[in-house]
């Protein structure tokens, strides 16, 4: 790790100076003593320097870049060939990985989500090296997990640099799943297009794979520098902030974008996007939509603005300089750090569900983006809480009566109906354990009703204290249900095991 190397060199130099001083005190220094070399610390490249990422933060939150322990740094150069059949992305990726586990690692696992069957595409590796050496590769989890065997074991606290070159095809038809990796209707969506370091847990690398109807990503907070080269007329929207835009010969433009401390990096691009913007304090909010959708695009922007205001007051500050909401040829809505995509149908016919979806997806900036969780095995932790959180959007924006109505219509009813039909279920289960028709009512319904009932039991002020403490405690980290329960018991001074077991671990 360059920073550590610098410190060691500096300390070594200091020791040398002190020793020379000691010797000089003992006997006169030899007149031929060579002059000491000037300290020449090699700074890390900009993409491995946390300070680079301050530009994606609000000034008041810029020091958050120093809060992340041993983050992974990514530098990705991606060239988009939209005219190829199918379109392709050719990428060169450098990854600086630090071993923050307690064990020596022989290999590092990456997730290659474009290889997930539902994505309808493939990521083909052209070259992979670690510390400049060619390495052995192992594939698992239907090709979505790549194990890179390291040339030398990596002890805890040490870092390694990995280099990859790969090619990803972009489907132009409806794939299974969310459809968040494709090029349709002039909109390019590159969800999880890169090689993403997997999460190493106490029992090893977590390589779980979600079925088509669940979010696939489980990742640690990292820093991304992404240079995207696209046709000159394309507008690029990403997680984080664009820091440079340069036209090249050959009618392409290279966009340089950086993230804040984020666990994923989303890219959307189109040559037809129209943009409307507003601000919440110093946070810039952008809505991107296709021509003809201006009214809905501006309405979506207003929903996002009011959601951001409500959640900042309720849970804690949004630390990033920017939040984008983008129209896309998908189903429903999907959350990414600093970016939300929303189905085009909500721009063609926007209504009350549009408003609810925006409120839900913006809540994910707190629950999933900043407070991370295993979306594949513990999906309720972010989904139930994001769905419950919408109640604060409605209360802040319209008052309690409308909030109760929206909660009943969009959250509670689906669970009550499922229960009446004898389809109650345990909330804490992996996505794959649910039948597709039960996943919504139990995870988005029952899990959210748990938080509603917890608020009834403890009072609103106590529940908000719990959510604020939980947010501050797990911000930029990963959370498990025990973290939430522990904070809830400390803040409320009540034993909540029984209540939690009844709602989350049991079913009638
Ligand atoms: Zn969600």
């Amino acid at each position: 790790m360059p920073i550590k190397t610098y410190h060691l060199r500096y300390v070594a130099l200091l020791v040398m100076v002190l020793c020379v001083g000691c010797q000089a005190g003992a006997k006169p220094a030899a007149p031929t003593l060579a002059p000491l070399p000037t300290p020449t610390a090699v700074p890390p490249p900009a993409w491995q320097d946390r300070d680079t990422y301050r530009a994606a933060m609000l000034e008041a939150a810029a020091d958050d870049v120093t809060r992340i322990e041993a983050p992974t740094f990514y530098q990705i150069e991606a060239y988009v060939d939209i005219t190829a059949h199918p379109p392709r992305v050719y990428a060169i990726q450098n990854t600086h990985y630090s071993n923050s586990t307690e064990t020596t690692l022989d290999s590092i696992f990456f997730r290659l989500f474009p290889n997930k069957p539902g994505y309808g595409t493939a990521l083909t590796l052209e070259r992979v090296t670690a510390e400049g050496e060619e390495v052995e590769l192992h594939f698992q989890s239907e090709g979505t997990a790549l194990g890179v065997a390291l040339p030398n074991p990596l002890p805890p606290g040490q870092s390694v640099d990995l280099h990859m070159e790969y090619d990803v095809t972009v489907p132009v038809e409806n794939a299974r799943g969310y459809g968040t990796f494709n090029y349709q209707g002039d909109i390019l969506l590159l969800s999880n297009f890169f090689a993403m370091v997997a999460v190493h847990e106490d029992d090893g690398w977590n390589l779980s794979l979600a079925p088509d109807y669940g979010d696939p990503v489980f990742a640690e907070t990292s820093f991304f520098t992404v240079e995207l080269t696209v046709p000159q007329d394309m507008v690029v929207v990403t997680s984080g902030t664009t820091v440079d835009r340069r036209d090249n010969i050959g009618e392409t433009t290279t966009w340089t974008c950086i993230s804040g401390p984020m666990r994923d990096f989303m890219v959307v691009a189109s040559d037809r996007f129209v943009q409307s913007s507003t601000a919440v304090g110093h946070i810039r909010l952008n809505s991107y939509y296709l021509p003809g959708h201006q009214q809905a695009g501006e309405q979506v922007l207003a929903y996002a603005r009011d959601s951001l205001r409500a959640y900042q007051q309720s849970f804690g500050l949004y630390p990033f300089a920017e939040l984008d909401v983008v129209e896309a040829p998908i189903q429903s809505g999907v959350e990414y750090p600093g970016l939300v995509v929303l189905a085009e149908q909500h721009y063609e016919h926007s209504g009350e569900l549009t408003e609810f979806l925006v409120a839900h997806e913006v809540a994910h900036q707190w629950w999933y983006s900043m407070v991370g969780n295993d979306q594949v095995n513990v999906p309720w932790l972010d989904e139930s809480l994001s769905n419950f959180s919408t109640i604060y959007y409605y209360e802040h924006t319209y008052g309690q009566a409308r909030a109760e109505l929206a909660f009943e219509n969009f959250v509670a009813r689906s669970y009550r109906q499922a229960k009446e039909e004898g389809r109650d279920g345990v909330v804490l289960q992996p996505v794959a354990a649910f039948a597709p028709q039960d996943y919504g009512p139990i995870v988005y319904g029952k899990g959210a009703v748990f938080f509603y009932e917890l608020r009834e039991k403890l009072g609103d002020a106590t529940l908000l204290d719990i959510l604020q403490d939980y947010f501050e405690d797990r911000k930029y980290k990963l959370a498990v249900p025990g973290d939430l329960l522990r904070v809830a018991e400390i803040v409320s001074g009540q034993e909540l095991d029984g209540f939690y077991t009844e709602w989350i671990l049991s079913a009638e």
Side-chain angles (χ1 to χ4, degrees):
M1 200 166 118
I3 293 172
K4 186 173 271 177
T5 311
Y6 166 73
H7 285 309
L8 285 175
R9 277 187 197 159
Y10 184 74
V11 168
L13 201 64
L14 202 65
V15 170
M16 274 173 64
V17 171
L18 289 173
C19 289
V20 169
C22 293
Q23 285 172 354
K27 56 179 183 177
T32 53
L33 188 69
L36 284 169
T38 319
T40 50
V42 181
W47 65 275
Q48 290 178 31
D49 183 350
R50 292 160 187 259
D51 286 341
T52 297
Y53 302 94
R54 289 176 182 269
M57 309 297 289
L58 290 181
E59 207 178 317
D63 283 345
D64 281 10
V65 299
T66 64
R67 282 178 58 164
I68 320 304
E69 281 176 45
T72 296
F73 292 91
Y74 295 90
Q75 180 203 36
I76 304 169
E77 286 173 39
Y79 303 85
V80 177
D81 183 358
I82 213 75
T83 58
H85 300 285
R88 305 178 89 83
V89 179
Y90 177 69
I92 301 171
Q93 174 176 333
N94 291 307
T95 310
H96 183 78
Y97 173 83
S98 298
N99 182 0
S100 59
T101 76
E102 286 168 7
T103 51
T104 294
L105 298 173
D106 297 321
S107 54
I108 293 174
F109 271 87
F110 288 81
R111 302 312 301 267
L112 309 179
F113 288 117
N115 288 346
K116 194 179 170 203
Y119 275 52
T121 174
L123 188 154
T124 309
L125 291 160
E126 309 286 350
R127 188 171 130 85
V128 181
T129 62
E131 298 295 351
E133 290 182 33
E134 298 280 342
V135 287
E136 241 180 81
L137 306 178
H138 306 276
F139 290 91
Q140 288 185 37
S141 297
E142 300 189 48
T144 67
L146 165 72
V148 176
L150 298 174
N152 301 298
L154 187 69
Q158 298 296 304
S159 305
V160 63
D161 286 292
L162 301 114
H163 177 87
M164 295 177 181
E165 295 168 23
Y166 51 85
D167 190 85
V168 198
T169 53
V170 183
V172 290
E173 290 167 4
N174 265 324
R176 299 195 331 253
Y178 290 173
T180 50
F181 193 102
N182 67 27
Y183 181 54
Q184 272 189 73
D186 302 322
I187 298 174
L188 176 71
L189 290 161
L190 297 181
S191 194
N192 326 128
F193 74 98
F194 59 95
M196 179 187 293
V197 176
V199 174
H200 191 282
E201 299 179 303
D202 290 344
D203 55 353
W205 294 96
N206 182 318
L207 306 177
S208 303
L209 189 58
D212 289 342
Y213 48 91
D215 291 328
V217 172
F218 179 36
E220 303 267 13
T221 297
S222 307
F223 291 103
F224 297 85
T225 296
V226 180
E227 286 184 24
L228 285 148
T229 300
V230 297
Q232 242 163 44
D233 47 4
M234 273 189 137
V235 171
V236 170
V237 189
T238 70
S239 297
T241 296
T242 298
V243 290
D244 187 43
R245 208 172 76 176
R246 209 175 49 241
D247 287 341
N248 309 307
I249 45 170
E251 298 189 342
T252 62
T253 299
T254 299
W255 298 61
T256 304
C257 308
I258 57 162
S259 71
M262 291 175 170
R263 54 190 82 249
D264 191 4
F265 193 90
M266 179 57 172
V267 175
V268 191
S270 175
D271 57 4
R272 295 180 62 215
F273 275 150
V274 179
Q275 177 185 356
S276 295
S277 299
T278 186
V280 172
H282 295 289
I283 304 162
R284 185 175 166 82
L285 244 84
N286 304 307
S287 174
Y288 294 89
Y289 47 87
L290 294 180
H293 293 168
Q294 182 166 3
Q295 197 183 346
E298 291 187 351
Q299 189 62 66
V300 162
L301 183 68
Y303 296 150
R305 177 198 64 206
D306 294 344
S307 300
L308 202 56
R309 282 185 182 145
Y311 303 148
Q312 290 211 100
Q313 283 180 32
S314 304
F315 314 136
L317 295 181
Y318 180 85
F320 307 119
E322 194 176 314
L323 175 65
D324 303 311
V325 185
V326 191
E327 174 176 351
I330 57 159
Q331 307 291 320
S332 183
V334 185
E335 74 280 10
Y336 300 90
L339 193 154
V340 165
V341 291
L342 192 64
E344 57 193 0
Q345 72 191 68
H346 290 286
Y347 294 80
E348 283 154 7
H349 311 283
S350 69
E352 288 187 19
L353 180 60
T354 309
E355 180 172 18
F356 176 80
L357 273 178
V358 172
H360 172 94
E361 303 303 346
V362 172
H364 272 302
Q365 294 303 316
W366 279 260
W367 321 123
Y368 162 64
S369 172
M370 286 187 272
V371 176
N373 62 294
D374 180 345
Q375 294 193 112
V376 182
N377 294 305
V378 196
W380 80 274
L381 203 49
D382 65 308
E383 293 302 351
S384 303
L385 187 47
S386 293
N387 238 18
F388 167 71
S389 295
T390 59
I391 206 163
Y392 293 107
Y393 162 77
Y394 287 98
E395 284 179 358
H396 277 254
T397 312
Y398 302 108
Q400 201 181 351
R402 177 116 177 234
E404 293 289 337
L405 192 65
F407 192 79
E408 168 60 22
N409 286 342
F410 297 118
V411 183
R413 183 177 295 142
S414 69
Y415 168 55
R416 206 176 49 247
Q417 283 174 350
K419 198 176 162 190
E420 281 165 11
E421 291 164 11
R423 294 190 290 121
D424 191 10
V426 171
V427 174
L428 199 173
Q429 296 188 80
V431 179
F434 292 93
Q437 70 273 19
D438 293 340
Y439 181 57
I442 302 304
V443 170
Y444 293 73
K446 185 180 181 181
V449 174
F450 157 74
F451 286 103
Y452 184 95
E453 293 297 331
L454 190 61
R455 182 161 88 150
E456 293 284 297
K457 181 181 169 74
L458 303 176
D460 186 45
T462 303
L463 188 75
L464 279 176
D465 283 347
I466 290 168
L467 295 179
Q468 287 162 12
D469 281 16
Y470 172 61
F471 173 59
E472 198 46 46
D473 182 46
R474 304 315 300 165
K475 191 177 178 184
Y476 305 125
K477 298 176 185 159
L478 295 169
V480 294
D483 294 319
L484 180 65
L485 193 58
R486 178 175 46 80
V487 171
E489 291 190 332
I490 291 170
V491 172
S492 68
Q494 293 192 33
E495 191 277 314
L496 295 168
D497 271 338
F499 188 77
Y500 173 78
T501 301
E502 178 193 334
W503 277 98
I504 303 299
L505 305 180
S506 315
E508 280 182 14

